[in-house]
Structure formats: structure tokens, C-alpha cells
Amino acid sequence: MCKDCGCSSAIDNEIPTLKIEERTQQRRIEINQGILSKNDRLAEQNRNYFQSKGLFVINLLSSPGSGKTALIERMQIEQILQEYGESINLGVVVGDLATDNDARRLQHRGISAVQITTGNACHLEADLVFQAAQKLDLDSLDLLIIENVGNLVCPAAYDLGEDLRIVLLSVTEGEDKPLKYPTMFKSAQVVIINKIDLTEAVEFDRELAIANIQKIAPQAKIFQISAKTGTGINYLSTYLFSKKE
Amino acid sequence: MHEVSMMQNTLDIAIAQAQQNGAKKIDLLTMNIGELSGVIPEALEFAFDVLIQGTMAQNAQLEIKTIPVVCHCQRCDRNFQPEGYIFTCPQCQQVTTDVLTGTELELASVVVSDYD
């Protein structure tokens, strides 16, 4: 529309020199763009990239201290995802605010692990994961686990390019964790209750916890395990194997 | 805590758009934030006040529109607004995962002025 009189002459192709009153005139620009659209785009690139490498990728999330690293160690011990007699090549990208303790702990077990120290950032983003993954020999790996920063809030919003999102909950945290952090649990395809060897000691009500998970995240497949003793790992292993195929 | 990096992303998008449109000043940013986005509007506002300093948006206002959660029940083929975070259909009591709105994290629009 013509700016001078409101007639419908098409004069929009050329931008005219503006008069002073026009310079201060306010104009609304419709954007409607996702704030995380850049991360989402990079995550999709990661997904395609990991797929081209034949990798199955898990984004593992939980509170600090729920047993993410212990679960990965157990996956290595049990040779999860592998058919009988074969050995698994497991790679891990692990995020923490500070220290490389987890990466060293995993490397000690013979797992290829690279640490991302985020400084003050409370979550991993797709580009950080891509850069860190370059430090691993991806062609030799079967399974890549991204051990996210221990946090049940922020990491929920960031797609990293994973095939499967697993949220871990330990019995020491209480049955109502899913009710307290619904956004995170709603984003999970799998929820694992860990440390079930401590169920009685901490008087954890497993049925109540499962009911809470089912209410908040009815889509999630639920497993009950002890990463420490290995209880329940075989069910998880069978499930992951079926997902990978 | 991630509201700071989200606000920075928002400002980056807004400034790029304003510049493409020949504007030198941003007067208003309007965001759509879903109730299920995991983002706290107050934390966004706090980050905004800090991050706009020294940018073309330094006198800008921030308007946050909260988008309520609307779910769809497949069994009843109807939409409903759940109470709280358990998405139970008020008609059939089935829990659904089908979320139509409420996860938004968007920069909807900017109002600009002072053109080249």
C-alpha cells in the first residue's frame, strides 16, 4: 500500500528516502521464530551425521547423583546392545559444570569418553556435543551416550540429535520427582528407576513412583534397575537392542 | 538459569531482523512462552534488562504472552485445558500426551523505528 495516502498503488519495490517523521515512525515486524531454532537445526544436523556413522545415540538425563555414570559403567560391564560373544564399542560425551572426573572414571573402565565442562551453563547444546564428539573415533563406535549435565530443568528444552531420550530417577530422590519436574519427564521416551537395591532402606514406594511416571509421562517405557548390582539391566538391554535395530 | 542464553538468542534474532529492515532502534519485543516450555518469564525479564545494555534494544520493552496448555483427547476427539501437569481428559479421564499448545518458546514480533 502507498504510504502517503493509503491507496493501493504498488510502490513497495523501491525503498524511498525517508522523511524525518517517517524515520521515527514505529513499525511492527512479525518474526514468529523459535528461540531455540538454531539449536534445533544443529541437532537435526547431528542426527543425520550420527546416522551416517551408524551410531545409536542416547541422551541421558537426571538430577546430579542419580547414577548416570554408574549406569554407563554397567552398560559396559554387561556389554549392553551386543549379541552374544561380541564386544561393544561404547563412546560417551559427558557434560558437567566443572572437573573431568566422570570422563576419567569412564576411561578407567576402557570406555572412550570425552568431557565437556560447561563453566556455568546448566545444559548441553547441539553444537557443543558435535564438537566434543569429534574427539572420539566415531567410526569405531556402536553406541554414543551423551551424559547430560545433572539437572532436571534446563536440558529438557535442548534437542542434541539423539535417537532416544532416557531420564533417570533414583529411589533416594522420592516418588514425586516426576510430579515436581513434569517438563523433563514429559520429554522422555524411557524413564529408568535406579538404585532399586536401596528401595527398602529408603522406604521408597515403587508402585507410587511408577503411577506418578505414568500420569506425567504416559508415553515413557519404564525400567527398574540397579546400576550397582546389575538387577534389571537385561530388560533394558533387550529394549535398547530392539530400538537400535 | 538457561533463560540468559535463551534471551541472548532472542535478542540476536531481533537485532538481525531489525537491521535487515533498516531500523536502528528496537522499541518492543513480543515473545510467546508456553506454560510447558520450562522457562520462567520473570527470569527472562531479568536477563532481558541486563542483556539489552549497549544494544539497539536498550530502551526496548519486553512483552511476554503466556500460552496456556491445550491438549487433545483422541478417544473423545476434543480439546481441553488440563489443570496442572497431569493431562487427564475431563470427559473420559484418559491421560493424553497429545499437546497442541503450551510448549512455545518464540519471538513473535518486534516493533522498530529510526530507519537508515
Side-chain angles (χ1 to χ4, degrees):
Chain A
M1 199 159 59
C2 159
K3 284 183 186 131
D4 293 325
C5 65
C7 76
S8 55
S9 309
I11 57 159
D12 286 346
N13 290 345
E14 237 171 83
I15 300 167
T17 312
L18 298 176
K19 295 177 193 147
I20 288 166
E21 60 270 26
E22 284 174 331
R23 280 178 200 239
T24 53
Q25 202 176 24
Q26 289 188 328
R27 197 150 62 88
R28 182 181 291 273
I29 307 167
E30 296 296 331
I31 296 174
N32 295 318
Q33 190 179 332
I35 298 162
L36 299 181
S37 54
K38 186 178 166 194
N39 183 73
D40 291 344
R41 201 175 59 244
L42 294 171
E44 207 46 49
Q45 282 176 20
N46 282 1
R47 195 166 281 116
N48 292 332
Y49 175 71
F50 293 143
Q51 218 161 50
S52 74
K53 298 276 180 193
L55 274 172
F56 186 68
V57 183
I58 294 173
N59 186 1
L60 185 58
L61 305 117
S62 80
S63 314
S66 299
K68 292 186 293 300
T69 312
L71 173 60
I72 297 169
E73 287 175 321
R74 177 55 63 181
M75 285 171 150
Q76 168 78 4
I77 293 165
E78 305 282 336
Q79 293 291 301
I80 208 163
L81 273 187
Q82 288 311 95
E83 290 186 89
Y84 184 74
E86 289 180 37
S87 64
I88 186 175
N89 289 310
L90 178 58
V92 179
V93 171
V94 52
D96 279 299
L97 270 61
T99 82
D100 61 350
N101 290 357
D102 281 358
R104 282 193 287 126
R105 182 172 149 193
L106 292 166
Q107 284 158 1
H108 188 69
R109 292 266 185 191
I111 300 169
S112 312
V114 55
Q115 181 83 41
I116 302 175
T117 43
T118 60
N120 284 320
C122 48
H123 60 272
L124 294 179
E125 295 188 18
D127 59 337
L128 283 177
V129 168
F130 180 79
Q131 285 162 28
Q134 298 306 306
K135 294 178 189 155
L136 297 169
D137 180 14
L138 296 178
D139 291 317
S140 71
L141 298 180
D142 310 300
L143 171 64
L144 178 67
I145 299 178
I146 304 162
E147 184 186 331
N148 219 311
V149 178
N151 177 350
L152 281 180
V153 186
C154 317
Y158 294 86
D159 183 7
L160 302 178
E162 69 267 22
D163 297 303
L164 193 72
R165 186 177 283 205
I166 300 180
V167 176
L168 203 61
L169 156 76
S170 65
V171 300
T172 53
E173 297 168 53
E175 301 87 354
D176 58 353
K177 221 42 184 293
L179 305 178
K180 289 177 175 168
Y181 298 91
T183 307
M184 175 59 83
F185 283 89
K186 281 179 187 297
S187 78
Q189 286 137 298
V190 173
V191 175
I192 297 175
I193 301 175
N194 189 26
K195 306 189 189 177
I196 57 164
D197 51 312
L198 299 178
T199 303
E200 282 170 21
V202 296
E203 296 179 359
F204 182 80
D205 185 339
R206 280 205 245 168
E207 280 178 23
L208 177 59
I210 289 169
N212 286 340
I213 295 166
Q214 284 169 338
K215 274 191 246 171
I216 290 290
Q219 79 288 347
K221 184 97 180 135
I222 302 170
F223 294 94
Q224 304 178 62
I225 66 158
S226 166
K228 191 177 173 189
T229 66
T231 309
I233 286 284
N234 52 334
Y235 297 109
L236 178 66
S237 182
T238 307
Y239 172 79
L240 291 178
F241 195 80
S242 73
K243 277 291 185 192
K244 185 173 180 272
E245 287 305 291
Chain B
M1 208 148 66
H2 62 319
E3 280 83 356
V4 176
S5 67
M6 287 194 178
M7 200 63 238
Q8 188 61 58
N9 285 350
T10 308
L11 268 182
D12 291 346
I13 297 168
I15 290 170
Q17 286 285 339
Q19 284 170 342
Q20 274 175 33
N21 283 273
K24 284 193 275 193
K25 232 174 114 227
I26 298 176
D27 301 316
L28 175 71
L29 288 89
T30 303
M31 296 176 77
N32 292 333
I33 303 297
E35 281 179 339
L36 199 61
S37 65
V39 166
I40 305 160
E42 289 76 13
L44 280 180
E45 282 161 8
F46 182 81
F48 179 77
D49 290 342
V50 175
L51 294 170
I52 55 174
Q53 301 307 322
T55 73
M56 68 194 290
Q58 74 173 349
N59 294 312
Q61 299 289 310
L62 177 64
E63 178 187 35
I64 295 178
K65 291 186 178 167
T66 304
I67 312 293
V69 179
V70 175
C71 297
H72 179 75
C73 175
Q74 285 189 342
R75 192 192 274 182
C76 305
D77 193 23
R78 68 191 286 262
N79 297 343
F80 65 94
Q81 275 192 35
E83 284 175 30
Y85 290 104
I86 299 169
F87 301 159
T88 311
C89 171
Q91 197 159 301
C92 72
Q93 309 303 318
Q94 179 103 336
V95 179
T96 182
T97 55
D98 200 352
V99 178
L100 303 177
T101 68
T103 59
E104 294 79 0
L105 270 177
E106 293 168 355
L107 175 59
S109 65
V110 289
V111 172
V112 298
S113 63
D114 198 6
Y115 310 99
D116 291 327

